[in-house]
Amino acid sequence: DARVTQTPRDKVTEMGQEVTMRCQPILGHNTVFWYRQTMKQGLELLAYFRNRAPLDDSGMPKDRFSAEMPDATLATLKIQPSEPRDSAVYFCASGSETLAGGLNEQFFGPGTRLTVL
Amino acid sequence: AQSVAQPEDQVNVAEGNPLTVKCTYSVSGNPYLFWYVQYPNRGLQFLLKYITGDNLVKGSYGFEAEFNKSQTSFHLKKPSALVSDSALYFCAVRGPGYSTLTFGKGTMLLVSP
C-alpha cells in the first residue's frame, strides 16, 4: 500500500530555531506539493515541484521558508528562523501528471504538526 | 483565476438520512473537480474526481458527486449517512492552464446517531 510519509509527525520548537520537515513521495509520482493548514486560512499551497524542479513557490514566505527536492524520494521544507505564526499542520502530497498535462489526484501524507513557542 | 466556494462551514445530518455537501467553482474552461475527506489528525484522502464524461461520479465509501456545468457546481452526496462519515470535506478545482489545485475552505460534516 503506497503512501506518502512525513517526518516528524509533531514538532515543538522555540522561536528563532530552524525547522526541517521531510517528505517521501509515492514512488513513481512526478509531482510534489507542500501545503499548510490553519484554522484561519484553511489549506494553503506553499510550493510545487514537477520532476524535482520547483515550479511554483509563490505561496511561501521567501525570507524564511525554503523547499527542495534533493532526489526523487525526498522533499524538504525548511523554516529558518521559525516564528509563532508558523504554527500549523504542514502537509506533503504527491501525484502524477499525464503526458497530456492532466493532473491526477494528489495523495496526502499524515502531516507535520508544528508548534513554535 | 480559479476558485472554489463551499458555502457551508458545517452540515448536520442524522444517520440514515441523505447528505449533501455543496461546492461551486469558478474557472475559465473545463474544470477538473475533486473531493477529499479529512479525518481528525489525518491527511486528506481522495474521494472522487470529475475529469470528463458522465456528470454523476461515484467514489469511495458510497459517496457520489454531480457535476453541473450550468450552475458551476459539484455537490457531494450520499444516500444514507453514517456516523463514521463525520469529517471535514474539501472540494478542489483545477482549470485549464493551471498546474495546481485550488481547495475550498472545507465543510465539517457531523452525522448524529
Short mmCIF file of all heavy atoms in Angstrom, two decimals, chain A residues 7-71:
data_model
loop_
_atom_site.label_atom_id
_atom_site.label_comp_id
_atom_site.label_asym_id
_atom_site.label_seq_id
_atom_site.Cartn_x
_atom_site.Cartn_y
_atom_site.Cartn_z
N THR A 7 8.01 13.17 8.09
CA THR A 7 8.63 13.21 9.41
C THR A 7 9.12 14.61 9.72
O THR A 7 9.48 15.36 8.79
CB THR A 7 9.85 12.26 9.47
OG1 THR A 7 10.78 12.60 8.43
CG2 THR A 7 9.43 10.81 9.34
N PRO A 8 9.09 15.02 10.99
CA PRO A 8 8.44 14.33 12.10
C PRO A 8 6.93 14.50 12.04
O PRO A 8 6.42 15.30 11.27
CB PRO A 8 9.02 15.06 13.32
CG PRO A 8 9.23 16.46 12.83
CD PRO A 8 9.67 16.32 11.39
N ARG A 9 6.19 13.77 12.84
CA ARG A 9 4.74 13.95 12.90
C ARG A 9 4.38 15.15 13.76
O ARG A 9 3.40 15.84 13.49
CB ARG A 9 4.09 12.69 13.46
CG ARG A 9 4.18 11.48 12.56
CD ARG A 9 3.38 11.67 11.24
NE ARG A 9 2.02 12.12 11.49
CZ ARG A 9 1.02 11.30 11.74
NH1 ARG A 9 1.19 10.00 11.76
NH2 ARG A 9 -0.20 11.80 11.94
N ASP A 10 5.16 15.37 14.77
CA ASP A 10 4.95 16.52 15.65
C ASP A 10 6.29 17.18 15.93
O ASP A 10 7.29 16.49 16.11
CB ASP A 10 4.32 16.10 16.98
CG ASP A 10 2.84 15.81 16.84
OD1 ASP A 10 2.06 16.78 16.83
OD2 ASP A 10 2.48 14.63 16.73
N LYS A 11 6.27 18.52 15.99
CA LYS A 11 7.49 19.24 16.28
C LYS A 11 7.14 20.46 17.12
O LYS A 11 6.30 21.27 16.71
CB LYS A 11 8.17 19.67 15.00
CG LYS A 11 9.42 20.54 15.18
CD LYS A 11 10.58 19.73 15.71
CE LYS A 11 11.84 20.58 15.80
NZ LYS A 11 12.99 19.79 16.35
N VAL A 12 7.76 20.56 18.29
CA VAL A 12 7.62 21.74 19.12
C VAL A 12 8.99 22.39 19.20
O VAL A 12 9.98 21.72 19.52
CB VAL A 12 7.11 21.39 20.53
CG1 VAL A 12 6.98 22.66 21.37
CG2 VAL A 12 5.78 20.66 20.46
N THR A 13 9.05 23.67 18.90
CA THR A 13 10.33 24.35 18.90
C THR A 13 10.15 25.77 19.42
O THR A 13 9.03 26.23 19.62
CB THR A 13 10.93 24.37 17.49
OG1 THR A 13 12.29 24.83 17.55
CG2 THR A 13 10.14 25.30 16.57
N GLU A 14 11.24 26.41 19.64
CA GLU A 14 11.18 27.79 20.12
C GLU A 14 11.44 28.75 18.97
O GLU A 14 12.17 28.44 18.02
CB GLU A 14 12.20 28.00 21.24
CG GLU A 14 11.87 27.20 22.50
CD GLU A 14 12.71 27.60 23.68
OE1 GLU A 14 13.73 28.30 23.48
OE2 GLU A 14 12.35 27.21 24.80
N MET A 15 10.87 29.90 19.11
CA MET A 15 11.03 30.95 18.11
C MET A 15 12.50 31.17 17.79
O MET A 15 13.33 31.22 18.70
CB MET A 15 10.40 32.24 18.63
CG MET A 15 10.43 33.39 17.66
SD MET A 15 9.49 34.80 18.28
CE MET A 15 10.40 35.21 19.74
N GLY A 16 12.81 31.27 16.52
CA GLY A 16 14.17 31.52 16.09
C GLY A 16 14.92 30.27 15.68
O GLY A 16 15.96 30.36 15.01
N GLN A 17 14.40 29.11 16.05
CA GLN A 17 15.06 27.85 15.70
C GLN A 17 14.75 27.44 14.27
O GLN A 17 13.71 27.81 13.70
CB GLN A 17 14.63 26.74 16.65
CG GLN A 17 15.03 26.96 18.09
CD GLN A 17 16.53 27.04 18.26
OE1 GLN A 17 17.26 26.12 17.87
NE2 GLN A 17 17.00 28.14 18.83
N GLU A 18 15.65 26.65 13.71
CA GLU A 18 15.42 26.10 12.37
C GLU A 18 14.57 24.84 12.47
O GLU A 18 14.74 24.02 13.37
CB GLU A 18 16.75 25.76 11.70
CG GLU A 18 16.58 25.11 10.33
CD GLU A 18 17.90 24.81 9.64
OE1 GLU A 18 18.69 25.76 9.43
OE2 GLU A 18 18.13 23.63 9.32
N VAL A 19 13.65 24.72 11.53
CA VAL A 19 12.78 23.54 11.47
C VAL A 19 12.93 22.91 10.09
O VAL A 19 12.87 23.63 9.08
CB VAL A 19 11.31 23.93 11.71
CG1 VAL A 19 10.41 22.72 11.51
CG2 VAL A 19 11.13 24.52 13.09
N THR A 20 13.11 21.62 10.05
CA THR A 20 13.16 20.90 8.78
C THR A 20 12.12 19.80 8.79
O THR A 20 12.09 18.97 9.70
CB THR A 20 14.55 20.29 8.53
OG1 THR A 20 15.52 21.33 8.45
CG2 THR A 20 14.56 19.52 7.20
N MET A 21 11.27 19.81 7.79
CA MET A 21 10.25 18.78 7.63
C MET A 21 10.58 17.99 6.37
O MET A 21 11.00 18.57 5.37
CB MET A 21 8.87 19.43 7.49
CG MET A 21 8.40 20.06 8.79
SD MET A 21 6.93 21.08 8.62
CE MET A 21 7.68 22.67 8.29
N ARG A 22 10.38 16.68 6.45
CA ARG A 22 10.74 15.80 5.35
C ARG A 22 9.55 15.03 4.83
O ARG A 22 8.62 14.72 5.59
CB ARG A 22 11.84 14.83 5.79
CG ARG A 22 13.17 15.51 6.08
CD ARG A 22 14.23 14.56 6.58
NE ARG A 22 15.51 15.23 6.73
CZ ARG A 22 15.85 15.98 7.76
NH1 ARG A 22 15.00 16.16 8.76
NH2 ARG A 22 17.05 16.55 7.80
N CYS A 23 9.60 14.71 3.56
CA CYS A 23 8.50 14.02 2.90
C CYS A 23 9.08 13.00 1.93
O CYS A 23 10.00 13.31 1.15
CB CYS A 23 7.63 15.03 2.16
SG CYS A 23 6.46 14.32 0.98
N GLN A 24 8.53 11.81 1.95
CA GLN A 24 8.88 10.80 0.95
C GLN A 24 7.64 10.59 0.08
O GLN A 24 6.64 10.04 0.55
CB GLN A 24 9.31 9.50 1.61
CG GLN A 24 9.73 8.43 0.60
CD GLN A 24 10.32 7.21 1.26
OE1 GLN A 24 10.18 6.99 2.46
NE2 GLN A 24 11.02 6.40 0.47
N PRO A 25 7.68 11.05 -1.16
CA PRO A 25 6.51 10.87 -2.03
C PRO A 25 6.35 9.42 -2.45
O PRO A 25 7.26 8.60 -2.27
CB PRO A 25 6.84 11.76 -3.23
CG PRO A 25 8.32 11.88 -3.25
CD PRO A 25 8.78 11.76 -1.83
N ILE A 26 5.21 9.12 -3.00
CA ILE A 26 4.96 7.78 -3.51
C ILE A 26 5.86 7.52 -4.71
O ILE A 26 5.99 8.39 -5.60
CB ILE A 26 3.48 7.61 -3.87
CG1 ILE A 26 2.63 7.65 -2.60
CG2 ILE A 26 3.24 6.31 -4.63
CD1 ILE A 26 1.13 7.65 -2.84
N LEU A 27 6.48 6.37 -4.72
CA LEU A 27 7.41 6.01 -5.79
C LEU A 27 6.71 6.07 -7.15
O LEU A 27 5.62 5.52 -7.33
CB LEU A 27 7.94 4.60 -5.55
CG LEU A 27 9.11 4.14 -6.41
CD1 LEU A 27 10.34 4.98 -6.13
CD2 LEU A 27 9.41 2.66 -6.16
N GLY A 28 7.35 6.79 -8.07
CA GLY A 28 6.78 6.92 -9.41
C GLY A 28 5.99 8.19 -9.63
O GLY A 28 5.71 8.56 -10.77
N HIS A 29 5.61 8.86 -8.55
CA HIS A 29 4.92 10.14 -8.70
C HIS A 29 5.93 11.22 -9.11
O HIS A 29 7.05 11.27 -8.58
CB HIS A 29 4.23 10.54 -7.41
CG HIS A 29 2.94 9.81 -7.18
ND1 HIS A 29 2.13 10.05 -6.09
CD2 HIS A 29 2.30 8.88 -7.93
CE1 HIS A 29 1.07 9.29 -6.17
NE2 HIS A 29 1.15 8.56 -7.27
N ASN A 30 5.51 12.10 -10.02
CA ASN A 30 6.44 13.11 -10.50
C ASN A 30 6.11 14.53 -10.03
O ASN A 30 6.78 15.48 -10.40
CB ASN A 30 6.52 13.09 -12.04
CG ASN A 30 5.19 13.44 -12.69
OD1 ASN A 30 4.15 13.48 -12.05
ND2 ASN A 30 5.23 13.72 -13.99
N THR A 31 5.07 14.66 -9.21
CA THR A 31 4.75 15.97 -8.66
C THR A 31 4.68 15.89 -7.14
O THR A 31 4.21 14.90 -6.58
CB THR A 31 3.40 16.50 -9.18
OG1 THR A 31 2.37 15.56 -8.87
CG2 THR A 31 3.45 16.72 -10.68
N VAL A 32 5.18 16.92 -6.50
CA VAL A 32 5.16 17.02 -5.04
C VAL A 32 4.67 18.40 -4.64
O VAL A 32 5.08 19.40 -5.24
CB VAL A 32 6.56 16.76 -4.44
CG1 VAL A 32 6.56 17.04 -2.93
CG2 VAL A 32 7.01 15.32 -4.70
N PHE A 33 3.83 18.43 -3.64
CA PHE A 33 3.24 19.68 -3.17
C PHE A 33 3.44 19.81 -1.67
O PHE A 33 3.37 18.83 -0.94
CB PHE A 33 1.72 19.69 -3.44
CG PHE A 33 1.35 19.44 -4.87
CD1 PHE A 33 1.28 18.14 -5.37
CD2 PHE A 33 1.05 20.49 -5.72
CE1 PHE A 33 0.93 17.91 -6.68
CE2 PHE A 33 0.69 20.26 -7.04
CZ PHE A 33 0.63 18.97 -7.52
N TRP A 34 3.68 21.03 -1.22
CA TRP A 34 3.69 21.34 0.21
C TRP A 34 2.51 22.28 0.50
O TRP A 34 2.35 23.31 -0.17
CB TRP A 34 4.98 22.02 0.64
CG TRP A 34 6.15 21.11 0.81
CD1 TRP A 34 7.21 20.96 -0.04
CD2 TRP A 34 6.40 20.23 1.91
NE1 TRP A 34 8.09 20.04 0.46
CE2 TRP A 34 7.63 19.59 1.66
CE3 TRP A 34 5.72 19.94 3.10
CZ2 TRP A 34 8.18 18.66 2.54
CZ3 TRP A 34 6.27 19.02 3.97
CH2 TRP A 34 7.48 18.38 3.70
N TYR A 35 1.71 21.92 1.50
CA TYR A 35 0.59 22.73 1.92
C TYR A 35 0.73 23.05 3.41
O TYR A 35 1.35 22.31 4.17
CB TYR A 35 -0.74 21.97 1.75
CG TYR A 35 -1.16 21.69 0.34
CD1 TYR A 35 -0.79 20.51 -0.30
CD2 TYR A 35 -1.97 22.59 -0.35
CE1 TYR A 35 -1.21 20.23 -1.58
CE2 TYR A 35 -2.40 22.31 -1.64
CZ TYR A 35 -2.01 21.14 -2.24
OH TYR A 35 -2.43 20.87 -3.52
N ARG A 36 0.09 24.14 3.80
CA ARG A 36 0.00 24.49 5.21
C ARG A 36 -1.48 24.63 5.55
O ARG A 36 -2.25 25.25 4.80
CB ARG A 36 0.72 25.82 5.47
CG ARG A 36 0.58 26.34 6.88
CD ARG A 36 1.52 27.52 7.12
NE ARG A 36 1.22 28.66 6.28
CZ ARG A 36 1.97 29.77 6.26
NH1 ARG A 36 3.05 29.85 7.01
NH2 ARG A 36 1.63 30.77 5.47
N GLN A 37 -1.87 24.05 6.68
CA GLN A 37 -3.27 24.11 7.09
C GLN A 37 -3.38 24.79 8.45
O GLN A 37 -2.74 24.37 9.43
CB GLN A 37 -3.90 22.72 7.17
CG GLN A 37 -5.39 22.75 7.46
CD GLN A 37 -6.02 21.36 7.48
OE1 GLN A 37 -5.39 20.39 7.89
NE2 GLN A 37 -7.26 21.25 7.04
N THR A 38 -4.18 25.83 8.51
CA THR A 38 -4.50 26.50 9.77
C THR A 38 -6.00 26.70 9.83
O THR A 38 -6.70 26.65 8.82
CB THR A 38 -3.82 27.88 9.88
OG1 THR A 38 -4.29 28.70 8.78
CG2 THR A 38 -2.30 27.77 9.81
N MET A 39 -6.50 26.91 11.03
CA MET A 39 -7.93 27.15 11.20
C MET A 39 -8.35 28.41 10.46
O MET A 39 -9.40 28.47 9.84
CB MET A 39 -8.28 27.26 12.68
CG MET A 39 -8.12 25.97 13.44
SD MET A 39 -9.36 24.77 12.98
CE MET A 39 -10.83 25.55 13.65
N LYS A 40 -7.47 29.42 10.52
CA LYS A 40 -7.84 30.72 9.97
C LYS A 40 -7.79 30.73 8.45
O LYS A 40 -8.69 31.25 7.79
CB LYS A 40 -6.89 31.78 10.53
CG LYS A 40 -7.26 33.21 10.17
CD LYS A 40 -6.33 34.20 10.85
CE LYS A 40 -6.70 35.63 10.50
NZ LYS A 40 -5.79 36.61 11.16
N GLN A 41 -6.74 30.18 7.86
CA GLN A 41 -6.52 30.29 6.42
C GLN A 41 -6.94 29.05 5.64
O GLN A 41 -6.96 29.06 4.40
CB GLN A 41 -5.04 30.58 6.13
CG GLN A 41 -4.54 31.89 6.72
CD GLN A 41 -5.20 33.08 6.09
OE1 GLN A 41 -5.65 33.04 4.94
NE2 GLN A 41 -5.28 34.16 6.83
N GLY A 42 -7.23 27.96 6.36
CA GLY A 42 -7.55 26.74 5.65
C GLY A 42 -6.30 26.11 5.07
O GLY A 42 -5.23 26.19 5.64
N LEU A 43 -6.44 25.53 3.87
CA LEU A 43 -5.35 24.82 3.22
C LEU A 43 -4.69 25.75 2.20
O LEU A 43 -5.33 26.19 1.25
CB LEU A 43 -5.91 23.59 2.53
CG LEU A 43 -4.97 22.44 2.21
CD1 LEU A 43 -4.34 21.89 3.46
CD2 LEU A 43 -5.74 21.35 1.48
N GLU A 44 -3.40 26.03 2.40
CA GLU A 44 -2.68 26.94 1.50
C GLU A 44 -1.56 26.18 0.80
O GLU A 44 -0.81 25.45 1.45
CB GLU A 44 -2.03 28.08 2.29
CG GLU A 44 -2.95 28.91 3.13
CD GLU A 44 -2.13 29.87 3.99
OE1 GLU A 44 -1.71 29.47 5.09
OE2 GLU A 44 -1.90 31.01 3.55
N LEU A 45 -1.42 26.39 -0.49
CA LEU A 45 -0.32 25.79 -1.24
C LEU A 45 0.93 26.63 -1.03
O LEU A 45 0.93 27.84 -1.26
CB LEU A 45 -0.66 25.73 -2.72
CG LEU A 45 0.43 25.18 -3.63
CD1 LEU A 45 0.68 23.70 -3.35
CD2 LEU A 45 0.05 25.38 -5.10
N LEU A 46 2.00 25.98 -0.58
CA LEU A 46 3.26 26.68 -0.36
C LEU A 46 4.22 26.51 -1.53
O LEU A 46 4.86 27.47 -1.95
CB LEU A 46 3.93 26.16 0.92
CG LEU A 46 3.20 26.37 2.23
CD1 LEU A 46 3.97 25.71 3.36
CD2 LEU A 46 2.99 27.84 2.50
N ALA A 47 4.34 25.27 -2.03
CA ALA A 47 5.32 25.00 -3.08
C ALA A 47 4.89 23.79 -3.89
O ALA A 47 4.13 22.95 -3.41
CB ALA A 47 6.70 24.77 -2.48
N TYR A 48 5.43 23.72 -5.10
CA TYR A 48 5.03 22.68 -6.03
C TYR A 48 6.24 22.31 -6.88
O TYR A 48 6.91 23.20 -7.42
CB TYR A 48 3.88 23.21 -6.87
CG TYR A 48 3.61 22.53 -8.19
CD1 TYR A 48 3.48 21.14 -8.28
CD2 TYR A 48 3.46 23.28 -9.35
CE1 TYR A 48 3.22 20.54 -9.48
CE2 TYR A 48 3.20 22.68 -10.56
CZ TYR A 48 3.08 21.31 -10.63
OH TYR A 48 2.81 20.71 -11.83
N PHE A 49 6.50 21.02 -6.97
CA PHE A 49 7.62 20.51 -7.77
C PHE A 49 7.08 19.56 -8.82
O PHE A 49 6.17 18.77 -8.55
CB PHE A 49 8.60 19.71 -6.90
CG PHE A 49 9.35 20.55 -5.90
CD1 PHE A 49 8.76 20.96 -4.72
CD2 PHE A 49 10.66 20.93 -6.14
CE1 PHE A 49 9.46 21.72 -3.80
CE2 PHE A 49 11.37 21.69 -5.23
CZ PHE A 49 10.76 22.07 -4.05
N ARG A 50 7.68 19.59 -9.99
CA ARG A 50 7.42 18.59 -11.00
C ARG A 50 8.76 18.06 -11.46
O ARG A 50 9.65 18.85 -11.84
CB ARG A 50 6.66 19.14 -12.19
CG ARG A 50 6.26 18.06 -13.22
CD ARG A 50 5.92 18.66 -14.56
NE ARG A 50 4.75 19.51 -14.45
CZ ARG A 50 4.58 20.61 -15.19
NH1 ARG A 50 5.50 20.99 -16.05
NH2 ARG A 50 3.47 21.33 -15.06
N ASN A 51 8.91 16.74 -11.45
CA ASN A 51 10.19 16.11 -11.81
C ASN A 51 11.35 16.76 -11.06
O ASN A 51 12.41 17.04 -11.64
CB ASN A 51 10.41 16.19 -13.32
CG ASN A 51 9.35 15.41 -14.09
OD1 ASN A 51 8.88 14.37 -13.64
ND2 ASN A 51 8.96 15.94 -15.24
N ARG A 52 11.12 17.05 -9.78
CA ARG A 52 12.09 17.61 -8.83
C ARG A 52 12.38 19.09 -9.05
O ARG A 52 13.10 19.70 -8.26
CB ARG A 52 13.41 16.82 -8.87
CG ARG A 52 13.29 15.39 -8.37
CD ARG A 52 14.61 14.68 -8.49
NE ARG A 52 15.67 15.41 -7.82
CZ ARG A 52 16.97 15.29 -8.11
NH1 ARG A 52 17.36 14.48 -9.07
NH2 ARG A 52 17.88 15.98 -7.43
N ALA A 53 11.84 19.66 -10.11
CA ALA A 53 12.10 21.09 -10.36
C ALA A 53 11.01 21.93 -9.70
O ALA A 53 9.82 21.63 -9.86
CB ALA A 53 12.13 21.35 -11.85
N PRO A 54 11.41 22.96 -8.98
CA PRO A 54 10.40 23.84 -8.36
C PRO A 54 9.69 24.66 -9.42
O PRO A 54 10.33 25.34 -10.22
CB PRO A 54 11.24 24.72 -7.43
CG PRO A 54 12.61 24.73 -8.02
CD PRO A 54 12.79 23.41 -8.70
N LEU A 55 8.37 24.58 -9.44
CA LEU A 55 7.60 25.30 -10.44
C LEU A 55 6.83 26.48 -9.86
O LEU A 55 6.54 27.44 -10.57
CB LEU A 55 6.62 24.35 -11.13
CG LEU A 55 7.22 23.27 -12.00
CD1 LEU A 55 6.13 22.54 -12.75
CD2 LEU A 55 8.22 23.86 -12.98
N ASP A 56 6.48 26.38 -8.61
CA ASP A 56 5.68 27.44 -8.03
C ASP A 56 5.91 27.46 -6.53
O ASP A 56 5.59 26.49 -5.86
CB ASP A 56 4.19 27.23 -8.34
CG ASP A 56 3.31 28.36 -7.84
OD1 ASP A 56 3.84 29.31 -7.23
OD2 ASP A 56 2.09 28.30 -8.05
N ASP A 57 6.48 28.50 -6.04
CA ASP A 57 6.61 28.67 -4.58
C ASP A 57 6.09 30.03 -4.17
O ASP A 57 6.55 30.63 -3.20
CB ASP A 57 8.06 28.45 -4.13
CG ASP A 57 9.02 29.44 -4.77
OD1 ASP A 57 8.56 30.31 -5.54
OD2 ASP A 57 10.23 29.34 -4.50
N SER A 58 5.16 30.54 -4.93
CA SER A 58 4.64 31.88 -4.68
C SER A 58 3.87 31.97 -3.37
O SER A 58 3.70 33.06 -2.82
CB SER A 58 3.75 32.33 -5.84
OG SER A 58 2.68 31.43 -6.01
N GLY A 59 3.43 30.85 -2.85
CA GLY A 59 2.69 30.87 -1.60
C GLY A 59 3.56 30.82 -0.37
O GLY A 59 3.06 30.81 0.75
N MET A 60 4.85 30.81 -0.57
CA MET A 60 5.79 30.61 0.52
C MET A 60 6.50 31.92 0.88
O MET A 60 6.96 32.62 -0.02
CB MET A 60 6.84 29.61 0.05
CG MET A 60 7.48 28.78 1.09
SD MET A 60 8.28 27.33 0.38
CE MET A 60 9.51 28.08 -0.62
N PRO A 61 6.57 32.24 2.17
CA PRO A 61 7.37 33.42 2.58
C PRO A 61 8.84 33.16 2.27
O PRO A 61 9.48 32.33 2.91
CB PRO A 61 7.13 33.49 4.09
CG PRO A 61 5.92 32.67 4.36
CD PRO A 61 5.91 31.60 3.32
N LYS A 62 9.36 33.86 1.28
CA LYS A 62 10.69 33.54 0.75
C LYS A 62 11.81 33.84 1.74
O LYS A 62 12.88 33.24 1.67
CB LYS A 62 10.96 34.33 -0.52
CG LYS A 62 9.96 34.12 -1.62
CD LYS A 62 10.14 32.78 -2.32
CE LYS A 62 9.36 32.72 -3.60
NZ LYS A 62 7.95 33.11 -3.44
N ASP A 63 11.57 34.77 2.64
CA ASP A 63 12.67 35.18 3.50
C ASP A 63 13.02 34.13 4.54
O ASP A 63 14.15 34.08 5.04
CB ASP A 63 12.33 36.51 4.19
CG ASP A 63 11.03 36.45 4.99
OD1 ASP A 63 10.21 35.56 4.68
OD2 ASP A 63 10.84 37.27 5.89
N ARG A 64 12.08 33.25 4.84
CA ARG A 64 12.34 32.28 5.91
C ARG A 64 12.08 30.84 5.50
O ARG A 64 12.54 29.93 6.16
CB ARG A 64 11.49 32.62 7.12
CG ARG A 64 11.80 33.99 7.71
CD ARG A 64 10.99 34.25 8.99
NE ARG A 64 9.56 34.21 8.75
CZ ARG A 64 8.76 33.23 9.15
NH1 ARG A 64 9.27 32.21 9.82
NH2 ARG A 64 7.46 33.28 8.89
N PHE A 65 11.32 30.64 4.46
CA PHE A 65 10.96 29.29 4.03
C PHE A 65 11.77 28.90 2.80
O PHE A 65 12.04 29.73 1.93
CB PHE A 65 9.48 29.22 3.66
CG PHE A 65 8.53 29.20 4.81
CD1 PHE A 65 8.51 30.22 5.74
CD2 PHE A 65 7.62 28.16 4.95
CE1 PHE A 65 7.61 30.20 6.81
CE2 PHE A 65 6.72 28.13 6.01
CZ PHE A 65 6.71 29.16 6.94
N SER A 66 12.13 27.61 2.74
CA SER A 66 12.75 27.08 1.52
C SER A 66 12.31 25.64 1.34
O SER A 66 12.14 24.90 2.31
CB SER A 66 14.28 27.18 1.60
OG SER A 66 14.77 26.40 2.67
N ALA A 67 12.12 25.27 0.08
CA ALA A 67 11.69 23.91 -0.25
C ALA A 67 12.64 23.36 -1.31
O ALA A 67 13.01 24.07 -2.24
CB ALA A 67 10.26 23.91 -0.75
N GLU A 68 12.99 22.09 -1.13
CA GLU A 68 13.92 21.45 -2.08
C GLU A 68 13.53 20.00 -2.29
O GLU A 68 12.82 19.41 -1.48
CB GLU A 68 15.36 21.49 -1.52
CG GLU A 68 15.94 22.87 -1.36
CD GLU A 68 17.34 22.83 -0.79
OE1 GLU A 68 17.76 21.77 -0.27
OE2 GLU A 68 18.03 23.86 -0.88
N MET A 69 14.04 19.44 -3.39
CA MET A 69 13.92 18.00 -3.63
C MET A 69 15.30 17.49 -4.00
O MET A 69 15.66 17.46 -5.19
CB MET A 69 12.93 17.71 -4.74
CG MET A 69 11.50 17.69 -4.29
SD MET A 69 10.42 16.76 -5.41
CE MET A 69 10.84 15.07 -4.98
N PRO A 70 16.09 17.11 -3.03
CA PRO A 70 17.44 16.63 -3.31
C PRO A 70 17.47 15.40 -4.22
O PRO A 70 18.40 15.21 -4.98
CB PRO A 70 18.02 16.30 -1.93
CG PRO A 70 17.04 16.76 -0.92
CD PRO A 70 15.78 17.14 -1.60
N ASP A 71 16.46 14.57 -4.10
CA ASP A 71 16.30 13.46 -5.03
C ASP A 71 14.83 13.10 -5.12
O ASP A 71 13.99 13.70 -4.44
CB ASP A 71 17.16 12.25 -4.62
CG ASP A 71 16.81 11.70 -3.26
OD1 ASP A 71 15.65 11.26 -3.09
OD2 ASP A 71 17.68 11.72 -2.37
#
